[in-house]
Amino acid sequence: MTTTDAQTSAELPSTMRAVVVHGPEDYRLEERPVPTPGPGELLLRTDAVGVCASDLKCYHGAEKFWGGEYNEAWAEKNRIPGHEFVGTIVAAGEGALQARGAELGQRLACEQIVPCWDCLYCSRGGYWMCEPHDMFGFKGFDGAMAEYVLVPERALTHLVSPELPGQHAAFSEPLSCALHAVERGNIQFEDTVVIAGAGPIGLSAIAGVRQKNPLRVIALDMVDEKLELAKACGADITINIAEENAEAKIKELTGGYGADVYIEATGHPSAVQQGLNLLRKLGRFVEYSVFKDKASVDWSIISDDKELDVLGAHLGPHCWPAAIKLIEDGKLPMDEVCTHQFPLERFQEALDLVGDSSGGSVKVSILPNGPIPDGTANNLAA
């Protein structure tokens, strides 16, 4: 890299530590060359990368719907995972800073998809459904479970305050996704809205629904501690489905009719039938989760019984500025949401904790360049 080709904020190392995919349940910490940004590209020093359920399903060998059928591993081999991240700009290829209105030393969050900008969907404005569907950490481009990450020219980026802890700033990715699901629900002031699941996406959806100010926001989960956090994020009513009949309770609250909107954020097949049952006629079902197992439901509920609107939600298009603002404005209990941070060398523990329903985690993050918070319950580095 020369000063005529690019700009750098400091002398950069030649190699970096990175987690690399070798196959299902075979991720390894390796030394990789630090990428050199070409024209239009940026290099970020990774501040934080979140670990989500999609990462875990990928780790265990789940397949993804690419090209018409489930026929490809979710992440390519030799790929660096990590799709929800923020980083500080440390180097830029020719024209990259000007194109993004950014400067060296600023912090960026990157949308997880890297659109082709040429397919049918991109040309019609639906970039988040891009047909090639390259995504950081899964397909086409390395992600951020590494000390540095390269941002290609085609990627979408958003400035984020450097004052935020890295794990809080990286939460803009799941929050933007949940806000898109909320938008899909077309929530009205008089609605009773039910969110199934009080994990990172569910809590984010609760926060987003609260911004729409419907009549009632109801959270469902099986863990009382998560339901308490749901209240802090904006739920009016919480129901522990292990102890109460959610359908009966919601119908009691709504004069026997049922909820207007149901947002599914658990990834468990049983939550699909649950939503169909507790919605009123002409209600709206929004599906966000990525499922490990197929869901089987009574399809006639959707048509003949209730004439429901069933809506999918994928990624977080056009919701990133709002998500970042919610976090920067201190509207969410981020210290309680971002419960666990790990150094890069303990990536395996981070993955395992996401898969441990009894581990007490909400949002797990990796801080490839440190520092791990100390003196708090979040400190797992000791």
Side-chain angles (χ1 to χ4, degrees):
M1 180 185 310
T2 68
T3 55
T4 57
D5 298 322
Q7 298 169 271
T8 60
S9 62
E11 188 69 28
L12 297 174
S14 59
T15 63
M16 65 180 185
R17 297 176 306 150
V19 177
V20 180
V21 176
H22 286 269
E25 300 184 7
D26 186 8
Y27 286 20
R28 306 174 196 173
L29 187 63
E30 299 179 357
E31 287 287 323
R32 282 289 187 93
V34 173
T36 299
E41 297 178 337
L42 298 174
L43 183 68
L44 305 184
R45 183 178 184 269
T46 308
D47 295 334
V49 55
V51 184
C52 79
S54 296
D55 291 309
L56 189 67
K57 292 180 176 73
C58 176
Y59 172 74
H60 287 300
E63 295 180 327
K64 182 67 174 175
F65 190 81
W66 302 126
E69 58 182 1
Y70 287 91
N71 61 357
E72 295 186 37
W74 209 347
E76 298 166 329
K77 288 185 179 180
N78 208 36
R79 180 69 58 210
I80 298 171
H83 64 283
E84 49 181 74
F85 64 91
V86 294
T88 300
I89 305 170
V90 293
E94 184 178 1
L97 294 174
Q98 296 89 328
R100 298 180 186 277
E103 299 176 2
L104 292 173
Q106 289 186 314
R107 173 184 273 173
L108 291 181
C110 296
E111 296 200 24
Q112 58 284 81
I113 192 165
V114 182
C116 72
W117 301 114
D118 190 49
C119 70
L120 172 71
Y121 305 106
C122 287
S123 66
R124 293 183 177 181
Y127 73 89
W128 65 99
M129 298 305 299
C130 174
E131 183 66 15
H133 224 75
D134 290 336
M135 296 183 74
F136 283 108
F138 293 121
K139 179 176 178 283
F141 296 95
D142 283 333
M145 288 190 191
E147 292 175 299
Y148 296 89
V149 57
L150 186 71
V151 179
E153 186 174 14
R154 292 193 271 121
L156 292 148
T157 58
H158 304 273
L159 289 169
V160 188
S161 170
E163 303 302 317
L164 292 173
Q167 64 271 20
H168 295 186
F171 195 73
S172 55
E173 191 275 347
L175 182 55
S176 68
C177 291
L179 294 186
H180 178 52
V182 170
E183 290 280 65
R184 294 282 281 161
N186 190 27
I187 293 165
Q188 307 297 308
F189 289 131
E190 71 270 25
D191 284 344
T192 293
V193 183
V194 176
I195 298 92
I201 293 293
L203 293 170
S204 297
I206 290 164
V209 171
R210 182 74 279 155
Q211 298 300 305
K212 297 288 187 179
N213 202 31
L215 181 63
R216 297 185 190 89
V217 182
I218 302 174
L220 311 181
D221 204 280
M222 300 176 69
V223 180
D224 286 335
E225 290 79 8
K226 289 186 176 181
L227 290 171
E228 283 301 310
L229 191 49
K231 289 180 182 178
C233 289
D236 300 305
I237 298 166
T238 62
I239 301 173
N240 187 323
I241 61 170
E243 300 173 358
E244 291 187 80
N245 183 320
E247 180 183 354
K249 179 72 172 177
I250 289 164
K251 288 189 174 178
E252 177 187 335
L253 290 167
T254 58
Y257 288 101
D260 300 277
V261 181
Y262 178 85
I263 299 175
E264 199 290 304
T266 71
H268 196 283
S270 64
V272 179
Q273 187 69 55
Q274 172 183 261
L276 298 179
N277 291 343
L278 61 77
L279 278 169
R280 64 162 173 82
K281 294 177 182 180
L282 302 175
R284 301 181 295 286
F285 187 118
V286 181
E287 180 57 66
Y288 183 81
S289 293
V290 176
F291 289 83
K292 177 179 178 292
D293 301 307
K294 293 181 180 179
S296 178
V297 300
D298 182 356
W299 202 246
S300 63
I301 294 175
I302 297 167
S303 56
D304 191 52
D305 289 0
K306 294 186 176 180
E307 195 176 320
L308 300 176
D309 288 338
V310 179
L311 303 154
H314 178 58
L315 305 185
H318 310 300
C319 294
W320 283 76
I324 291 168
K325 187 175 188 297
L326 267 177
I327 296 170
E328 290 181 343
D329 287 351
K331 296 291 182 65
L332 300 177
M334 293 306 302
D335 284 333
E336 297 173 66
V337 172
C338 297
T339 52
H340 296 78
Q341 294 86 49
F342 289 88
L344 189 61
E345 61 269 20
R346 295 175 63 184
F347 74 90
Q348 188 64 59
E349 293 175 64
L351 286 165
D352 292 344
L353 184 59
V354 172
D356 181 4
S357 59
S358 63
S361 68
V362 181
K363 188 63 201 176
V364 175
S365 304
I366 294 171
L367 308 184
N369 291 289
I372 303 299
D374 57 15
T376 73
N378 292 348
N379 182 15
L380 297 187

